[in-house]
Amino acid sequence: MFYTNLNILFELPLIEIKLYNFVYFIVLLSFPALAVASYFIFRKRSEKAKSIYLWCLLAVAFFATWITFIVALITDDNNQRINFFARIPLHMCSINVILYPLFFGLRNKMPKLLKSATFGYMFFMGSVGALAAMVISAPGDCAGDGINLLRYNVFSYWLKHGLIFILPIMFVVLGFYRPKFKDIFITVAFVFCFLVLMEGVNLLFSWLNHLIGGTENANFFYTRSSDNIPILKDLQNLIKLELVYMFPLIFIIVPVFMIYYLPFGIIDLIKYIKTKKNKVNQA
């Protein structure tokens, strides 16, 4: 494998990362620490300075994702070239390195509803999904016995997912977005529309991949198959139709989004109580 050879070539020391070991928690907690540090460093800076800083982080996430893909393509790692259209990084987290800069860059040109939908998607869906990928479903070649954090594909996995997780929170911390309760339901509607779009992309890219001699079907956002992912696998066992099997997820993601929104809900409630008391005192 290319990455194994690269690791041997540079004689990288072994810093083992596996679920819930010391290195794992250091990596995981480094991203919230980044958000806290960013707040204190940039809270009194101009919007332009904050934007430049966020664009730099967005660029890091983008290149961490696409360099991995390009290197694998050049070396034809695991038949990457023949399955080009099925391997493009458009999965649930990888696609966000494209969507985040797009949504952030167009934020001042969007209608209010669309901004709520796109920033809600990043905050609720993108951030929660990346956190789940690090906490629940980290792949075996990126976390486990003998897995070296310093290998490029391993390091880029954690860097990409960590930034996808924390960037929407940093949009909030630095004043570019403030989640509202209604954004939860706007986001859910946006996500399901996006799933329908990705089903179309999967059908097209699967056809293109077979056209060039590939053997795999595109399955971005898992609309066609669960790929044995917990919860999705159970849903597909109950509902055999691709894409449709994901619709019951609404009963899972809405409560999760509400939990994610809870700190802001508490703050809003406190502000409402204080405002009401002030009005009573002034009467």
Side-chain angles (χ1 to χ4, degrees):
M1 296 287 286
F2 171 77
Y3 297 115
T4 303
N5 294 335
L6 188 66
N7 188 42
I8 293 171
L9 178 64
F10 289 99
E11 295 182 351
L12 298 174
L14 176 62
I15 299 180
E16 186 178 71
I17 181 168
K18 54 184 178 180
L19 291 182
Y20 317 126
N21 74 347
F22 179 74
V23 174
Y24 168 83
F25 282 112
I26 290 295
V27 171
L28 197 64
L29 294 174
S30 66
F31 295 102
L34 174 65
V36 172
S38 299
Y39 169 75
F40 286 107
I41 293 170
F42 287 94
R43 60 179 174 169
K44 295 182 179 179
R45 301 294 180 90
S46 66
E47 182 177 326
K48 183 178 180 181
K50 293 175 183 176
S51 295
I52 291 172
Y53 172 64
L54 289 169
W55 276 114
C56 290
L57 294 180
L58 288 165
V60 170
F62 179 87
F63 287 114
T65 301
W66 281 87
I67 288 175
T68 302
F69 172 73
I70 291 169
V71 167
L73 188 65
I74 292 171
T75 59
D76 199 23
D77 187 30
N78 196 23
N79 298 315
Q80 186 84 344
R81 294 175 193 167
I82 199 68
N83 289 297
F84 173 82
F85 287 103
R87 302 278 185 85
I88 295 175
L90 297 179
H91 264 297
M92 200 169 287
C93 285
S94 296
I95 197 172
N96 288 330
V97 304
I98 299 172
L99 295 180
Y100 280 18
L102 179 66
F103 295 159
F104 184 69
L106 295 175
R107 67 189 183 280
N108 294 325
K109 299 179 181 179
M110 292 180 180
K112 191 175 180 180
L113 181 63
L114 184 58
K115 184 176 180 180
S116 294
T118 53
F119 272 75
Y121 166 83
M122 291 189 287
F123 181 77
F124 292 109
M125 189 70 186
S127 185
V128 171
L131 180 60
M134 293 189 291
V135 174
I136 299 172
S137 58
D141 59 349
C142 291
D145 293 332
I147 299 298
N148 192 350
L149 177 64
L150 297 182
R151 283 179 60 184
Y152 178 77
N153 61 317
V154 178
F155 184 79
S156 64
Y157 174 87
W158 292 100
L159 179 63
K160 173 184 73 175
H161 285 85
L163 288 175
I164 291 170
F165 156 60
I166 207 63
L167 273 165
I169 296 172
M170 292 176 69
F171 293 154
V172 175
V173 166
L174 297 180
F176 290 94
Y177 174 61
R178 177 63 163 80
K180 299 180 179 66
F181 184 72
K182 66 180 181 179
D183 290 354
I184 293 173
F185 304 98
I186 294 172
T187 300
V188 169
F190 181 83
V191 167
F192 277 90
C193 290
F194 196 74
L195 286 174
V196 173
L197 173 64
M198 292 310 296
E199 172 70 0
V201 170
N202 282 331
L203 293 172
L204 174 62
F205 278 37
S206 293
W207 176 75
L208 290 172
N209 201 58
H210 289 289
L211 192 66
I212 64 172
T215 58
E216 298 178 6
N217 288 319
N219 189 30
F220 309 124
F221 269 67
Y222 307 106
T223 66
R224 305 199 70 188
S225 171
S226 68
D227 278 357
N228 291 320
I229 291 176
I231 299 175
L232 293 184
K233 181 181 178 181
D234 295 332
L235 289 175
Q236 194 163 41
N237 287 335
L238 293 172
I239 304 172
K240 303 300 182 182
L241 295 174
E242 61 183 64
L243 176 64
V244 178
Y245 85 93
M246 302 187 79
F247 289 174
L249 281 174
I250 189 171
F251 299 107
I252 298 172
I253 64 175
V254 169
V256 171
F257 289 178
M258 287 181 175
I259 293 170
Y260 219 58
Y261 169 76
L262 187 60
F264 301 96
I266 293 172
I267 292 170
D268 289 343
L269 180 62
I270 292 171
K271 287 181 178 178
Y272 173 77
I273 292 171
K274 284 184 177 180
T275 303
K276 197 169 182 179
K277 282 184 178 180
N278 289 335
K279 287 182 179 179
V280 170
N281 292 334
Q282 291 172 3

